[in-house]
Amino acid sequence: MAQRIGSHVGQEDPIAEAAARGADVVQIHLGDPQSWKAPTVAHAGGAAALKAAAEQADVAIYVHAAYIINVASTNNRIRIPSRKLLQQTVTLAAEIGARGVVVHGGHITAKDDPDAGFDNWRKAVDQLEQHCPVFIENTAGGENAMGRRLDAIAKLWDAVGHSGIGLCLDTCHAFAGGIPLESAVADLKAITGRVDLVHANDSQGGFDSGVDRHANFGDGAIDSADVIAQVIKDAGCPAVCETPNGAEAQAADIKWLRDRVG
């Protein structure tokens, strides 16, 4: 079967959003991604109805956890609510039949012991009940990020790899974070043994700029957008476009990828 390609869509009716884009995979939020409130299902029929609709339409759903989650933090008022919100998200994602939950690697502060963040991740995964798979996403910026550079990702996987946690590779984040896309899949698989999902995005920022700004394919700073398609081929997993400018532009991005990935 051809690799699934789709995009991040609104959460009210993601199956209709998929149809509008010609997508066979979607990524959604469960509730407000900038809030500590418990996740919710916006679909009119609730979790069971969304799961049934996705199965009938043969659309795979992934969930992006709230952006504010930072289980690496040494601040109890951030780390503890982050663990709780991540668990709530994973539990609800399982109810809608999601294939995985994507969560950012997080960061510590410049004054923290660098190892503290990795240890906090280890503690988090040891208590996390993975009712559906969880994928840590590489990040674009921050010198104290857990998931920007390959050496940090290696330390992170030393801490969490035993849990079976997966990896989401974002092409914009990798490029802006200083990871060459030509070897990104091989480099990351050498560390983690896996790539479970690709966030397929061009980058407004230049290589190693640390700028997390996505662009439509061919509109960004990645010299040859074809390398993004090659990343998806190399990864051999579903790809989600998180590109801007709405359904029409995302539909064009999905078609562009399909034409190159097959």
Side-chain angles (χ1 to χ4, degrees), residues 10 21 32 41 51 94 105 119 126 139 167 175 200 215 220 226 234 239 253:
R21 292 162 172 79
D32 183 352
V41 175
K51 180 179 180 181
D119 198 45
D126 283 348
T139 46
L167 177 76
F175 181 78
D226 285 317
D234 292 345
D253 284 337

Side-chain angles (χ1 to χ4, degrees), residues 61-83:
I61 300 178
Y62 290 85
V63 169
H64 200 305
Y67 300 130
I68 55 174
I69 289 175
N70 183 7
V71 301
S73 176
T74 58
N75 183 336
N76 289 346
R77 289 177 293 179
I78 296 173
R79 185 181 68 259
I80 294 170
S82 292
R83 288 183 186 176

Side-chain angles (χ1 to χ4, degrees), residues 14-216:
I15 307 309
E17 299 268 18
R21 292 162 172 79
D24 54 12
V25 56
V26 292
Q27 178 181 272
I28 62 171
H29 293 301
L30 294 175
D32 183 352
Q34 301 290 359
S35 171
W36 291 110
K37 291 181 180 177
T40 56
V41 175
H43 188 268
L50 177 54
K51 180 179 180 181
E55 289 173 352
Q56 184 174 2
D58 190 25
V59 172
I61 300 178
Y62 290 85
V63 169
H64 200 305
Y67 300 130
I68 55 174
I69 289 175
N70 183 7
V71 301
S73 176
T74 58
N75 183 336
N76 289 346
R77 289 177 293 179
I78 296 173
R79 185 181 68 259
I80 294 170
S82 292
R83 288 183 186 176
K84 179 181 179 182
L85 184 53
L86 179 58
Q87 183 65 72
Q88 291 172 328
T89 302
V90 171
T91 300
L92 187 56
E95 291 181 23
I96 68 168
R99 309 288 180 94
V101 172
V102 178
V103 61
H104 288 169
H107 59 275
I108 55 174
T109 68
K111 67 179 188 296
D112 289 324
D113 175 356
D115 291 334
F118 302 117
D119 198 45
N120 283 338
W121 254 112
R122 178 185 59 77
K123 293 172 183 174
V125 297
D126 283 348
Q127 70 175 40
L128 180 64
E129 296 178 17
Q130 293 190 53
H131 301 297
C132 82
V134 177
F135 311 143
I136 300 175
E137 179 180 0
N138 64 302
T139 46
E143 294 306 318
N144 303 295
M146 301 293 100
R148 175 178 178 179
R149 303 195 184 280
L150 292 173
D151 58 346
I153 294 171
K155 290 179 182 177
L156 179 56
W157 245 256
D158 284 344
V160 304
H162 67 279
S163 70
I165 206 160
L167 177 76
C168 174
L169 165 57
D170 187 303
T171 57
C172 166
H173 296 178
F175 181 78
I179 299 174
L181 289 181
E182 292 78 4
S183 60
V185 173
D187 290 343
L188 287 165
K189 281 188 174 180
I191 292 167
T192 67
R194 58 197 295 169
V195 175
D196 298 89
L197 183 69
V198 172
H199 282 172
N201 305 301
D202 207 329
S203 173
Q204 292 185 33
F207 183 76
D208 206 15
S209 63
V211 175
D212 183 4
R213 293 288 183 275
H214 300 179
N216 300 101

